[in-house]
Amino acid sequence: MIRQQNIRNFCIIAHIDHGKSTLADRILEITGLVAGRDKREQYLDRMELERERGITIKAQTVRIPYTGKDGRKYILNLIDTPGHVDFNYEVSRSLAACEGALLVVDASQGVEAQTLANVYLALEHNHEIIPVLNKIDLPSANPELVKKEIEESIGLDCAQALAVSAKSGLGVEAVIEAVVERLPAPAGDPDAALKALIFDSWYDPYQGVVVLFRIMEGSLKKGDRIRLFSSGMEREVLRLGAFSPEAVDIDALSAGEVGFLCANIKTLGEARVGDTITLSENPADTPVPGFKEVKPMVFCGLYPTESEGYEQLKFALEKLQLNDAAFSFEPETSQALGFGFRCGFLGLLHMEIVQERLEREFQAELIATAPSVVYKVATSDNSTLFIDNPAKLPEAGRITALYEPFVRLDIHAPHEYVGNVLKLCEEKRGLQKDMRYLAGSRVIITYELPFAEIVFDFFDRLKSMTKGYASMEYEIIDYRESDLVKLDIWINGDPVDALAVILHREKAARQGRALALKLKRAIPRQLFEVIIQAAIGTKVIARERNSPIGKNVTAKCYGGDITRKRKLLEKQKEGKKRMKRMGNVELPQEAFLAALKVSEE
């Protein structure tokens, strides 16, 4: 068994696309863990979607045996983390299993929004941080300027910052040596009662739940009987091991080590992330401090295109939830769309990824409604409700106050685009809090603004207004009272609950007109008249009409008395009245996309 002083647990943190996964690939290659014939880009990104999009979605661990320049044998436990704001919870969980972090910064782009966010997460855990300047072989790289930026924005000493090119492997050996020399060995008494923190878990169809853990104190071996603190459930360890980078069986693990276990656990609810594992015979007195429970922030309705697909969609959602604890769903019914599910996500990218996985991995055919955030409602009977679906908002007479979530938003952009960024934030009802100029030409602009304004098209517009150079990071801060109204869409006098949205009163009339016009274009013409209305309460603020398709009923009526033609036309008129009374308008997916796209115009 390896000595505790020779273990190093570290993770790689960075903004999206700054080279985390590439650096992990080079470390695996240089330490000889991945043979040349097995080598591939983004080796630790197992999911097809991750490899296709070039982003990390799930954090991955790997145990690396390494012989240092001093001749000693070390075990390096590396955790590769995601960089996108929606997967922040993966980063914070990974950091809890480490003592240090490699902060990777692109030497040509400098400090970005997620760089700062991830560093602050690491500092909360009192981690040792090693700055690594990546992509120094690019012609536009400016390592000295980026060092200044890091020192100014983060306050991290960059005198010993490492300059590397993860793509070519230049300087990566020095990074591995720095991990050994500069990061601390894990603390914890190997002879104490077992305390192991669960920082990830997923479902395997052959082994049940696979639990990824870090031992804080004590030791664990195959065959031990374990107990989980939160549920008190006891199980026998059937398999114990580590990923190196594929799963390798290990007989025993002790304090400071990272590994996985299988113990015939049937559901993810039995082995929750943040729970503590201890031994049944010699249990620990107190659990390890866990994690804040991840709460979904963005909600949307997912419905099968055909009602027969309901059970298939339910099965797909259950399977997906086994591998993504941050995703939630519950059944709901819509008058317009029938039976479906209200699903909760951490952000728009998370929502997009889940929808794509449902369509790819489970061949689900979906209709998705417009995303909504969670609103707080104070009612006349002194109760407080949290509403994630606009259709569930109580009648206006019962509401005494409506509150919406606000976020603190940090935008990093080159100084020449400051005007565009300020204009966009003001348009989205933002309150400016701070503006800091960094070394070179970069600016950090801090705003507080409603989360609902970010959900629709904020990121796309920010990127187009800054030619792709801006990056953003946000965190929910509180709920604030706002003058909000519910905008309903009526089609032929019937409300379409799936198209209801909650908006600020100032924007409601403009949005209502735009949405009604967009729906007029999206809904195909019928044999009867279709009236589209946008309303706030009982007040109609916009109306559009799709005229009926006319069938030429007199086509076969050659010559003869004019009354024959008149009789046919009267008959058609009666029939159309009846159709209008009985006819159901079929809404295509484009109608729901219209609700999303309307704010862009």
Side-chain angles (χ1 to χ4, degrees), residues 118-263:
N118 288 339
V119 166
Y120 293 147
L121 280 175
L123 291 174
E124 277 175 27
H125 289 83
N126 296 320
H127 281 354
E128 188 67 39
I129 297 171
I130 300 174
V132 177
L133 308 182
N134 190 21
K135 306 187 187 181
I136 56 157
D137 50 348
L138 291 180
S140 57
N142 191 341
E144 291 309 313
L145 187 66
V146 173
K147 279 183 194 177
K148 268 190 191 172
E149 272 190 29
I150 294 171
E151 287 177 348
E152 277 183 30
S153 57
I154 303 167
L156 201 62
D157 182 16
C158 286
Q160 289 183 286
L162 303 165
V164 306
S165 166
K167 195 170 186 180
S168 67
L170 176 71
V172 177
E173 276 193 55
V175 172
I176 303 170
E177 276 300 313
V179 166
V180 169
E181 290 165 14
R182 287 158 62 180
L183 295 186
D189 180 1
D191 300 319
L194 174 69
K195 276 189 189 181
L197 174 72
I198 300 176
F199 67 93
D200 203 1
S201 60
W202 61 89
Y203 186 81
D204 183 283
Y206 301 105
Q207 303 177 105
V209 175
V210 180
V211 174
L212 202 57
F213 63 88
R214 149 78 194 268
I215 299 181
M216 299 300 183
E217 286 184 342
S219 57
L220 179 67
K221 58 184 188 296
K222 188 178 171 183
D224 277 348
R225 194 158 183 82
I226 56 167
R227 179 188 296 167
L228 294 169
F229 251 90
S230 65
S231 62
M233 183 191 72
E234 296 191 3
R235 288 279 189 274
E236 184 188 336
V237 178
L238 302 174
R239 187 181 183 195
L240 187 66
F243 292 99
S244 188
E246 305 306 325
V248 177
D249 286 4
I250 295 172
D251 291 329
L253 291 169
S254 71
E257 295 195 83
V258 174
F260 72 86
L261 65 81
C262 302

Side-chain angles (χ1 to χ4, degrees), residues 284-588:
D285 300 328
T286 54
V288 180
F291 308 105
K292 282 189 293 186
E293 200 171 321
V294 181
K295 287 186 179 170
M297 300 311 305
V298 175
F299 290 82
C300 87
L302 291 181
Y303 294 84
T305 49
E306 303 293 334
S307 55
E308 304 86 70
Y310 177 81
E311 285 302 323
Q312 185 202 346
L313 178 58
K314 185 182 178 187
F315 171 78
L317 291 170
E318 284 169 352
K319 281 280 181 241
L320 199 61
Q321 196 180 36
L322 289 174
N323 290 314
D324 188 349
F327 162 64
S328 67
F329 71 94
E330 58 181 38
E332 75 167 2
T333 313
S334 158
Q335 291 173 343
L337 299 171
F339 293 103
F341 298 91
R342 193 78 190 160
C343 302
F345 312 91
L346 295 172
L348 284 183
L349 179 69
H350 189 209
M351 180 174 108
E352 208 178 299
I353 296 284
V354 167
Q355 283 182 33
E356 201 162 328
R357 285 186 69 186
L358 285 169
E359 285 167 358
R360 277 187 185 201
E361 296 172 26
F362 302 97
Q363 286 72 53
E365 292 184 8
L366 302 170
I367 287 179
T369 65
S372 167
V373 300
V374 182
Y375 294 93
K376 191 164 91 171
V377 186
T379 59
S380 51
D381 55 1
N382 294 326
S383 60
T384 303
L385 307 172
F386 285 91
I387 302 290
D388 59 37
N389 184 350
K392 291 181 182 171
L393 194 71
E395 305 83 57
R398 279 187 60 211
I399 299 171
T400 54
L402 255 174
Y403 302 86
E404 62 180 332
F406 264 65
V407 298
R408 180 175 288 107
L409 176 73
D410 286 323
I411 298 172
H412 290 234
H415 67 77
E416 60 263 37
Y417 301 113
V418 166
N420 290 353
V421 173
L422 296 182
K423 183 184 170 192
L424 175 64
C425 292
E426 294 295 329
E427 191 186 309
K428 297 289 187 180
R429 300 189 283 131
L431 302 166
Q432 190 180 334
K433 290 292 171 185
D434 192 16
M435 190 176 348
R436 283 189 292 150
Y437 283 81
L438 300 180
S441 63
R442 295 191 69 79
V443 187
I444 302 177
I445 302 163
T446 304
Y447 262 85
E448 288 180 4
L449 76 170
F451 188 32
E453 298 286 0
I454 293 179
V455 163
F456 279 108
D457 60 340
F458 187 90
F459 190 60
D460 292 344
R461 286 186 61 191
L462 178 68
K463 283 289 184 189
S464 61
M465 282 180 157
T466 59
K467 298 186 179 172
Y469 284 111
S471 62
M472 62 178 242
E473 196 273 329
Y474 62 82
E475 62 168 339
I476 305 282
I477 46 174
D478 55 14
Y479 277 85
R480 296 181 190 176
E481 190 174 348
S482 296
D483 187 10
L484 302 170
V485 292
K486 179 181 159 198
L487 179 71
D488 283 308
I489 297 296
W490 297 67
I491 293 181
N492 280 359
D494 293 324
V496 183
D497 51 358
L499 286 176
V501 284
I502 295 172
L503 297 164
H504 195 266
R505 193 181 295 275
E506 278 180 10
K507 297 189 171 187
R510 188 172 74 243
Q511 194 96 339
R513 284 192 294 272
L515 186 51
L517 184 62
K518 196 90 179 179
L519 288 171
K520 175 186 168 148
R521 293 170 185 161
I523 297 170
R525 285 174 68 195
Q526 315 283 328
L527 287 167
F528 50 88
E529 180 183 50
V530 176
I531 303 292
I532 302 152
Q533 293 169 305
I536 297 170
T538 54
K539 184 184 176 186
V540 175
I541 55 169
R543 182 184 186 275
E544 294 291 341
R545 174 182 177 269
N546 265 0
S547 56
I549 300 169
K551 184 182 175 186
N552 189 0
V553 288
T554 61
K556 292 181 182 176
C557 192
Y558 304 109
D561 194 351
I562 187 67
T563 52
R564 286 179 65 207
K565 286 187 178 181
R566 206 169 282 152
K567 200 182 278 181
L568 288 168
L569 290 167
E570 288 296 326
K571 198 174 175 185
Q572 182 190 36
K573 200 173 174 183
E574 281 301 313
K576 285 210 170 166
K577 269 186 193 169
R578 196 160 59 249
M579 280 180 81
K580 188 178 172 185
R581 253 197 326 273
M582 296 164 61
N584 273 336
V585 183
E586 283 208 0
L587 293 179

Side-chain angles (χ1 to χ4, degrees), residues 4-12 61-64 75-79 94-102 127-128 179-180 183-187 199 213-216 254-259:
Q4 197 172 333
Q5 291 91 325
N6 292 4
I7 298 171
R8 298 290 182 272
N9 298 319
F10 69 102
C11 62
I12 304 177
T61 64
V62 60
R63 180 186 173 102
I64 307 168
I75 289 290
L76 311 179
N77 288 309
L78 156 66
I79 303 176
S94 305
L95 285 165
C98 300
E99 279 76 38
L102 295 178
H127 281 354
E128 188 67 39
V179 166
V180 169
L183 295 186
F199 67 93
F213 63 88
R214 149 78 194 268
I215 299 181
M216 299 300 183
S254 71
E257 295 195 83
V258 174

